[in-house]
Amino acid sequence: MPAEISEKYDLLPKLIPHLDRHLIFPLLEFLSSQEGDDAGETTKTKYELLKQTNMTDYVASLWQEINDSHDVPEEFVKKREEVLQRLSLFTEETSQIDELLGDDSVVSNLRSDKVANLKFLEQQHGVTIEMVDMLYDFGRFQYSCGSYANAAHLLDQFRILSTDNDKAASATWGKLASDILTTSWEVVMEEVNKVKESIDTKLFNNPLAQLQHRTWLIHWALFPFFNYDPARDIITEIFFSAPFINTIQTNCPWILRYLAAAVITNRSRTRNTGQYQKQLKDLVRVVRQEGYEYNDPVTDFVKALYVDFDFEEAQKKLGEAEEVLKGDFFLSSAAEAFVEAARHLISESYCKIHQRIDIKDLSARLGLNQDEGEKWIVNLIRDTRMDGKLDYQEGTVLMNHPANSVYQQVIERTKGSFFRTSVLSAAVAK
């Protein structure tokens, strides 16, 4: 059953510990839209998730829904008044510095030296460290209220001025979360790079903290990964870099599902075939290594096709993978593209190792009828420029696989040796 497969491989329990509570909420919203979901339980989970925040009106509405009541308890009314009072107080206390940072004549005098900036603002405009810290507190307050655009603005202003590295790092994480929740994907990618750089440079002497922060960043980066097309290549490259692939293998092997889905769907997107083949090769290597630690129909598809060369198993896993992707918050929109790209990969692999291909047999392996299979193979031969001839009478395709000469094989295998030797020589010379 599709619902059972999707439920069996649900990653929500693994993802939640690495996400902020506000980032978990969209995943619960998606869950409540799925067939077979227990709406009552999901509503209770939302309530438990958000009751500690300042989203008082929404939390009160969840309480009413759970208790089937039109009345709002006094505690929610009281908390709402407190939130409004604090909002008014924060607005008043940050109004001066907010106006200053919105004044071009003031901003034009700011430099990259934060200490000098604070001295200038203190001498010329009476700005104190406490006023700067108030921006941070107000940004966190707005975030807790669900006012993510305001939170992003305040936290960004705080970062411009603050000399407190720990708070500035925290503000960067807060701004990243705020930008994700306002779906400002272009800005999100800028923040992802800032967080990555901060992890690499400021935590270089603390490997355990680097591991934890990279794990968080990997999970948070899933939001733009499949929602913003230009992010796909950038994040795939980040995930395959040595520090991040080590983090995935050590701390969160389930991320291989998303990496596999990205690489497979990249097949029709990328023009750099060399880079794509390298990513596919790296993916197969990691999936093979981590098979004992984590597997699901998506990674099993990769294993069946590129490790075991079992086309029947690959077709079976592709059907299961489609259901898993449809039930995954991050991948549901990519399910169709994944199936299309996966069929191409099955066809390419099948054609490479067979000289005479029965169209009916290949169509069955792709989950298509014979007419659809014929069209599919014709398009495949045209798109990939394979050397193949279709025999309609026999219902077969004849593939021409010219063998490379021994000399050509030697050239192919050794053409990188000179460069590698030069690099090693240079390294030894240093």
Side-chain angles (χ1 to χ4, degrees):
M1 289 289 290
E4 289 176 3
I5 291 172
S6 184
E7 189 176 338
K8 180 181 176 183
Y9 294 102
D10 181 25
L11 288 181
L12 196 58
K14 294 183 183 296
L15 299 174
I16 282 177
H18 306 287
L19 297 173
D20 176 84
R21 66 177 68 238
H22 292 258
L23 295 177
I24 296 167
F25 181 72
L27 278 68
L28 294 180
E29 282 283 272
F30 175 78
L31 182 64
S32 63
S33 69
Q34 298 293 292
E35 288 182 27
D37 175 61
D38 186 337
E41 280 302 310
T42 304
T43 303
K44 286 178 184 175
T45 306
K46 288 180 189 174
Y47 175 75
E48 291 298 323
L49 180 74
L50 299 174
K51 70 179 182 181
Q52 301 299 325
T53 69
N54 290 326
M55 299 167 70
T56 50
D57 290 342
Y58 183 67
V59 173
S61 70
L62 291 173
W63 186 92
Q64 288 175 308
E65 190 178 335
I66 292 165
N67 294 279
D68 194 20
S69 170
H70 294 292
D71 299 323
V72 177
E74 184 63 30
E75 62 181 290
F76 292 115
V77 177
K78 187 179 177 183
K79 187 172 180 180
R80 187 177 191 276
E81 289 174 359
E82 289 173 359
V83 168
L84 290 173
Q85 285 175 3
R86 289 186 67 197
L87 178 63
S88 177
L89 186 65
F90 271 126
T91 304
E92 187 180 332
E93 291 184 344
T94 58
S95 59
Q96 182 190 346
I97 193 167
D98 191 40
E99 285 173 15
L100 286 172
L101 291 174
D103 186 337
D104 290 341
S105 63
V106 175
V107 173
S108 63
N109 285 305
L110 298 180
R111 301 289 178 262
S112 57
D113 185 345
K114 291 183 178 182
V115 175
N117 288 340
L118 280 175
K119 193 173 182 181
F120 161 74
L121 289 171
E122 185 179 5
Q123 291 174 348
Q124 299 295 321
H125 303 283
V127 172
T128 63
I129 294 286
E130 289 73 21
M131 291 168 70
V132 173
D133 287 341
M134 191 66 72
L135 289 172
Y136 176 78
D137 295 336
F138 192 18
R140 289 189 64 183
F141 177 81
Q142 288 279 29
Y143 183 78
S144 184
C145 290
S147 300
Y148 304 119
N150 290 333
H153 171 70
L154 288 160
L155 293 170
D156 192 38
Q157 287 187 325
F158 171 78
R159 287 190 309 183
I160 292 169
L161 299 176
S162 178
T163 54
D164 186 328
N165 290 333
D166 291 340
K167 274 192 175 181
S170 175
T172 301
W173 281 101
K175 187 170 187 305
L176 173 57
S178 300
D179 291 329
I180 288 170
L181 291 161
T182 55
T183 64
S184 307
W185 300 124
E186 195 172 333
V187 184
V188 166
M189 289 310 299
E190 291 174 13
E191 295 301 323
V192 164
N193 284 320
K194 283 179 184 175
V195 172
K196 177 180 174 292
E197 188 180 334
S198 174
I199 294 169
D200 292 342
T201 57
K202 293 178 181 174
L203 296 175
F204 70 93
N205 60 348
N206 190 342
L208 192 60
Q210 278 190 324
L211 179 68
Q212 185 57 65
H213 282 71
R214 284 192 182 117
T215 304
W216 289 338
L217 182 58
I218 286 165
H219 286 80
W220 291 32
L222 293 177
F223 286 91
F225 204 1
F226 292 94
N227 283 306
Y228 181 54
D229 206 47
R232 189 85 59 88
D233 293 333
I234 297 167
I235 295 176
T236 302
E237 199 173 320
I238 290 172
F239 282 8
F240 271 122
S241 66
F244 281 84
I245 200 68
N246 289 342
T247 301
I248 290 169
Q249 290 183 269
T250 305
N251 236 19
C252 48
W254 50 86
I255 296 296
L256 288 176
R257 172 189 295 183
Y258 303 102
L259 198 51
V263 171
I264 289 170
T265 53
N266 273 356
R267 181 202 168 278
S268 56
R269 295 174 64 260
T270 185
R271 294 180 181 178
N272 188 340
T273 53
Q275 183 189 31
Y276 177 74
Q277 290 301 327
K278 182 183 182 303
Q279 287 180 350
L280 190 59
K281 187 178 178 182
D282 288 343
L283 175 67
V284 173
R285 173 181 57 80
V286 177
V287 165
R288 180 189 287 165
Q289 286 175 351
E290 296 303 314
Y292 72 96
E293 190 73 34
Y294 176 80
N295 70 290
D296 65 23
V298 179
T299 60
D300 284 345
F301 167 78
V302 174
K303 180 176 179 291
L305 186 59
Y306 290 108
V307 178
D308 302 331
F309 299 101
D310 186 336
F311 294 101
E312 288 183 14
E313 183 67 9
Q315 173 55 33
K316 178 188 168 188
K317 291 299 177 183
L318 178 57
E320 292 179 5
E322 184 178 7
E323 297 305 323
V324 168
L325 265 61
K326 285 178 180 176
D328 189 300
F329 169 80
F330 295 106
L331 297 172
S332 58
S333 61
E336 193 175 322
F338 177 86
V339 172
E340 185 79 9
R343 281 178 177 159
H344 269 284
L345 293 174
I346 292 173
S347 308
E348 283 179 18
S349 297
Y350 194 81
C351 291
K352 281 176 183 175
I353 61 175
H354 291 82
Q355 193 161 15
R356 188 184 200 78
I357 299 163
D358 186 292
I359 294 173
K360 189 175 180 181
D361 179 56
L362 181 56
S363 300
R365 294 180 190 280
L366 296 173
L368 303 170
N369 62 42
Q370 190 161 349
D371 289 340
E372 290 172 333
E374 276 186 17
K375 291 177 187 174
W376 177 272
I377 292 164
V378 169
N379 290 333
L380 177 72
I381 291 171
R382 184 189 64 215
D383 294 344
T384 58
R385 297 180 181 176
M386 288 183 178
D387 189 359
K389 189 181 289 184
L390 200 62
D391 187 333
Y392 286 101
Q393 289 184 335
E394 294 290 326
T396 59
V397 179
L398 292 173
M399 302 302 300
N400 181 27
H401 299 301
N404 279 347
S405 69
V406 174
Y407 304 109
Q408 187 62 35
Q409 289 180 42
V410 171
I411 291 168
E412 287 295 323
R413 293 190 180 193
T414 59
K415 64 183 178 182
S417 299
F418 176 74
F419 174 74
R420 287 195 293 272
T421 305
S422 301
V423 171
L424 286 170
S425 300
V428 170
K430 287 179 182 177

